[in-house]
């Protein structure tokens, strides 16, 4: 991935699921009760709660650093349209039409049809399109075709994204099925099953009817099995079939998405003039070169420069980075984060990274798959100042980059935990009633209350800093050989590494934990989440699709099954309700270690068949009876299972002479207000690309 490999821990297992207020207002309404309670809640609709995050320490930065952050933040917003278009080719047209209706609607705004359209639009904003950001299924509109057609008919034609020569009636005939028909583009990304996963996926990474076999053959022809420094083929392009011929449309200046990428590069060059040092300036300029050329060798050069820049306080991600949205795990969505270091909290992650060699040496994996020498592992806690693209409004809490295995092995990796985001989640989770409903006993609740936040952060640190950075891929193994299952397996590998070492006495020795039983808080939460509570994010009758959710279920179900004879973990009934009970924490750790050894073997050897069997057998299927019970119990709590954030407003402050004297942050903007402002000020792509 771009100069960095960001593997996200998408919403901190259980803490994030618990992170919710007690709001009970109708979808689309701001939840004032939650605002008073947490200080962060801004809006609540459907299954989403919008939170506000603070940026502590920003005022103490120098003006040069603030101006650097300002231009990097502008660049983070310039690419917003790219993600929408990547997610589905109709997303921009639908979003802009809905926004026009929303702002110009002259009828009763309390009418149920309009309120349903408002909720639908808010979900589209949140997900970057018409499919759920996590479950991947297409949203069901709560308004009718007739209402939508009537609203469109009352719009000025200039506000309808018509194709050349297209009438409003023809446009409605094209767009209406995309919104309303269940059988049309039903799932954004399909990662398993008997059908062709490319043809069944509604995302916009492939066009013209490219099949899975055609795509795999196309990219296999580019690879040299003897190349020890392979580029990430397909990372920054759409694969198109025209007149039976396959061709790549590269995302670059002068290529696909040029209108937005030109704006991004303009802001990056402005940022370069405020760089803290020469190394940071070189990183920014190399990224601009990559955007201008689209050359993947240049991208790798940028990644190497980025991972070597360990002395800058300000840092950022900007580009085509993570491949979760591509069924084949090759093409990357556009994303950005802008941040600066939290020096006090970084003391924790520095201890971990300084001891990376010890953890690698003591991993329960086969010595053949271990790094002989751990190189360049750096870790820090950061304060995020702006989120963009696939990191907004839903954001990771941890990042580890770059993604290229050979760069990680030769040059190391950067790992970050986003401190102000984890704090916001923790604040929002207080008093939710979640643990009272789902935890087996007061013992587990007290464990989580006492140690949960600490062990959550440590799990993230270990996952990102060491888990993703551990192990090797054997020479000659295709880095893309695990295909659609690669993301799930990689997340499982990092989670298992973190879980295994959370219980190690080394953490007490290093001063990272202060009690030998603290790890049990994370163990219990992880098992409860993987076996039961993350099911609140799945619709009845659906399988688990998202890679992080598959990973967590895979781990929890595997260790539950393997430890069943000894009742290491059991499913207990009380008063007609199901609970998870962990009966032997030491044996549970042993099972985590056994699974870690197998998962690392699969990755190191590129064992596709074993990977598919593991994921399909443990990570995908849902017990419908248990699922129904969990949904019913969760509904009674009136919680939102998903969280996201709005950004602060960043403004230049000028004196009477027009000179910039400061950069100020404002925290008063609402969710719809921010989304409409972004659509007005940061939309550069045509409706159809």
């Amino acid at each position: 991935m771009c100069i960095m490999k960001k593997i996200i821990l998408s919403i901190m297992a259980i803490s994030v699921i618990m992170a919710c207020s007690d709001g009970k207002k109708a979808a689309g309404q701001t939840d004032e009760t939650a605002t008073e309670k947490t200080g962060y809640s801004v809006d609540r609709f459907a299954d989403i709660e919008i939170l506000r995050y603070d940026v502590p320490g920003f005022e103490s930065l120098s003006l040069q650093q603030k101006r650097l952050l300002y231009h990097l933040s502008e660049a983070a917003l310039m690419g917003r349209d790219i993600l929408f278009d990547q997610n589905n080719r109709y997303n921009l047209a639908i979003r802009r039409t809905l926004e026009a209706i929303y702002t110009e609607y002259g009828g009763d705004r309390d009418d149920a049809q309009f309120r349903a359209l408002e909720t639908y639009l808010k979900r589209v904003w949140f997900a970057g399109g018409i499919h759920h950001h996590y479950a991947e299924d297409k949203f069901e509109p709560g308004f009718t075709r007739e209402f939508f057609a009537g609203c469109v008919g009352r719009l000025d034609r200039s506000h309808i994204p018509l194709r050349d020569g297209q009438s409003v009636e023809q446009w409605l005939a094209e767009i209406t099925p995309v919104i309303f028909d269940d059988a049309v583009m039903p799932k954004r990304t399909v990662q398993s099953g008997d059908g062709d996963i490319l043809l069944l996926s509604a995302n916009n990474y492939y066009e013209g009817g490219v099949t899975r076999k055609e795509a795999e053959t196309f990219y296999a022809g580019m690879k040299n099995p003897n190349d020890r420094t392979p580029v990430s083929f397909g990372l920054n392009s759409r694969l198109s079939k025209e007149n039976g011929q396959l061709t790549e449309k590269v995302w670059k200046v002068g290529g696909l998405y040029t209108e937005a990428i030109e704006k991004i590069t303009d802001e990056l060059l402005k940022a370069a003039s405020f760089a803290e040092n020469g190394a940071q300036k070189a990183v920014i300029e190399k990224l601009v070169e990559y955007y201008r050329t689209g050359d993947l060798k240049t991208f790798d050069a940028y990644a190497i420069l980025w991972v070597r820049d360990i002395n800058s306080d300000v840092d950022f991600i900007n580009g085509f980075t993570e491949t979760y949205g591509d069924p084949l795990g090759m093409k990357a969505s556009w994303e950005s984060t802008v941040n600066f270091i939290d020096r006090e909290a970084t003391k924790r992650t520095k201890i971990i990274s300084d001891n990376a060699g010890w953890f690698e040496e003591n991993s329960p994996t086969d010595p053949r798959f271990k790094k002989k020498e751990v190189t360049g592992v750096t870790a820090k806690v950061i304060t995020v100042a702006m989120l963009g693209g696939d990191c907004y409004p839903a954001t990771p809490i941890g990042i580890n980059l770059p993604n290229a295995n050979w760069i990680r092995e030769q040059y190391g990796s950067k790992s970050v935990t986003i401190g102000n985001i984890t704090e916001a989640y923790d604040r929002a989770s207080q008093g939710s009633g979640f643990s009272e409903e789902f935890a087996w006993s007061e013992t587990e609740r007290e464990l989580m209350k006492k140690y949960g936040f600490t062990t959550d952060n440590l799990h993230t640190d270990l996952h990102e800093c060491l888990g993703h950075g551990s192990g090797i891929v054997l020479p000659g193994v295709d880095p893309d050989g695990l295909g659609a299952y690669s993301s799930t397996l990689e997340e499982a590998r990092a989670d298992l590494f973190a879980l295994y070492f959370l219980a190690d006495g080394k953490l007490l020795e290093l001063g990272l934990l202060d009690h030998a039983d603290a790890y049990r808080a994370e163990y219990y939460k992880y098992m409860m989440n993987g076996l039961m509570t993350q099911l609140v994010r799945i619709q009845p009758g659906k399988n688990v699709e998202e890679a992080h959710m598959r990973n967590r279920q895979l781990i929890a179900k595997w260790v539950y099954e393997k430890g069943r004879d000894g009742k290491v973990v059991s499913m207990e009934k009380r008063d007609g309700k199901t609970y998870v009970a962990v009966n032997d924490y030491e044996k549970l750790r042993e099972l985590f270690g056994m699974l870690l050894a197998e998962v690392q073997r699969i990755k190191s050897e590129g064992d596709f068949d074993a990977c598919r069997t593991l994921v399909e057998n443990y990570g995908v299927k849902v017990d419908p009876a248990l699922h129904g019970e969990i949904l019913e119990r969760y509904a009674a709590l009136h919680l939102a299972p998903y969280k996201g954030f709005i950004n602060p407003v960043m403004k230049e402050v000028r004196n009477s002479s027009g000179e910039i004297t400061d950069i100020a942050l404002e925290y008063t903007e609402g969710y719809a207000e921010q989304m409409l402002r972004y659509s007005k000020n940061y939309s550069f792509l045509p409706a159809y690309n």
Side-chain angles (χ1 to χ4, degrees), residues 138 145 171-184:
K138 190 167 71 173
R145 297 169 186 246
W171 183 85
L172 280 169
E174 180 181 4
I175 293 294
T176 298
V178 177
I179 297 176
F180 292 94
D181 288 358
D182 293 341
V184 176

Side-chain angles (χ1 to χ4, degrees), residues 112-140:
Q113 291 279 314
F114 179 79
R115 294 302 300 274
L117 183 141
E118 177 185 36
T119 297
Y120 184 83
L121 173 57
K122 288 184 175 184
R123 299 183 81 182
V124 168
W125 282 331
F126 190 92
I130 62 175
H131 296 86
H132 197 282
H133 74 290
Y134 222 68
E136 307 279 358
D137 297 310
K138 190 167 71 173
F139 297 132
E140 294 184 11

Side-chain angles (χ1 to χ4, degrees), residues 18-22 37 428-436 637 639:
M18 297 194 331
C20 198
S21 72
D22 292 328
K37 178 183 173 191
S429 73
Q430 302 302 316
S432 69
F434 185 90
S435 63
E436 287 76 9
L637 297 175
L639 304 180

Side-chain angles (χ1 to χ4, degrees), residues 163-196:
R163 299 182 189 273
D164 290 343
Q166 193 176 41
S167 68
V168 174
E169 292 74 19
Q170 290 170 328
W171 183 85
L172 280 169
E174 180 181 4
I175 293 294
T176 298
V178 177
I179 297 176
F180 292 94
D181 288 358
D182 293 341
V184 176
M185 299 181 169
K187 189 175 290 291
R188 185 175 69 189
T189 303
V190 176
Q191 294 185 322
S192 61
D194 296 330
D196 190 305

